[in-house]
Amino acid sequence: MDYEKEIETYKKRIADLEESIKRSSVPIISSVVDNTILVPVVGYTGAERFELIRTLVLEYLDKHRNVICVIFDFTAADLNEKELHEYDSLALELQMLYNTLKLMDVRPISVGFNPQIVRKIIAAGVQMDFESYINFRMALKVLLKEQKASL
């Protein structure tokens, strides 16, 4: 039996499974509002994670050119244990993500930042200029109202 070949086969299988797990950690969900998707951000929120989110959202938008709005839900994101200086990098990652989408004429919206996180962001002196709502439901209400007004 060729153990080296078998080990290489297992290594490839592990790499494939790791990639599958990474991709499934960033679900992209269709919304009840036309041409709008939801991207729940759950758990870790470092630079590597935002790079993955950017990549997967851009891949999705490339295949679904009708999408005009992306809602990022941070309700379950792991933001509570961050140090004050880490909010600068969070703001930079969000700004990069949102600027990328705006260049594609896609509207980025954030939801789910709790008051404690907002206080920490303000205390860190971070300037964040983007559309945000308290929760997903409120963002949908605004989008549905805009959609009805445009009809």
Side-chain angles (χ1 to χ4, degrees):
M1 186 167 228
D2 187 3
Y3 291 115
E4 288 179 18
K5 188 174 182 179
E6 191 173 344
I7 289 171
E8 287 305 313
T9 301
Y10 285 131
K11 283 182 180 180
K12 183 180 180 337
R13 177 75 174 134
I14 289 170
D16 290 345
L17 290 172
E18 286 175 343
E19 181 64 23
S20 178
I21 290 169
K22 273 174 54 174
R23 287 183 168 277
S24 66
S25 73
V26 182
I28 298 175
I29 304 164
S30 294
S31 168
V32 296
V33 177
D34 291 338
N35 305 322
T36 299
I37 57 172
L38 168 67
V39 179
V41 180
V42 178
Y44 174 69
T45 56
E48 180 182 310
R49 181 75 187 282
F50 274 101
E51 176 64 30
L52 177 63
I53 291 168
R54 255 192 318 276
T55 300
L56 294 178
V57 168
L58 291 175
E59 285 175 6
Y60 184 91
L61 292 174
D62 187 43
K63 294 176 185 165
H64 302 87
R65 299 280 177 142
N66 61 322
V67 174
I68 59 171
C69 184
V70 179
I71 301 174
F72 296 95
D73 188 346
F74 290 91
T75 304
D78 184 17
L79 299 172
N80 292 316
E81 301 303 317
K82 289 190 175 294
E83 299 294 324
L84 280 180
H85 69 277
E86 291 179 295
Y87 287 100
D88 287 333
S89 61
L90 173 64
L92 178 63
E93 292 296 337
L94 286 172
Q95 206 63 50
M96 241 186 326
L97 177 61
Y98 295 168
N99 287 342
T100 301
L101 293 175
K102 287 177 184 177
L103 280 172
M104 298 178 65
D105 200 26
V106 175
R107 179 181 178 183
I109 297 175
S110 292
V111 300
F113 289 120
N114 67 45
Q116 179 185 3
I117 299 304
V118 172
R119 279 195 297 275
K120 286 182 179 180
I121 289 171
I122 299 301
V126 174
Q127 295 292 324
M128 297 175 80
D129 182 29
F130 53 81
E131 188 174 1
S132 184
Y133 298 96
I134 191 73
N135 56 37
F136 182 57
R137 182 177 180 185
M138 184 60 67
L140 287 180
K141 280 184 177 182
V142 168
L143 292 172
L144 285 169
K145 185 176 180 181
E146 291 174 0
Q147 193 176 58
K148 285 181 184 177
S150 69
L151 293 176

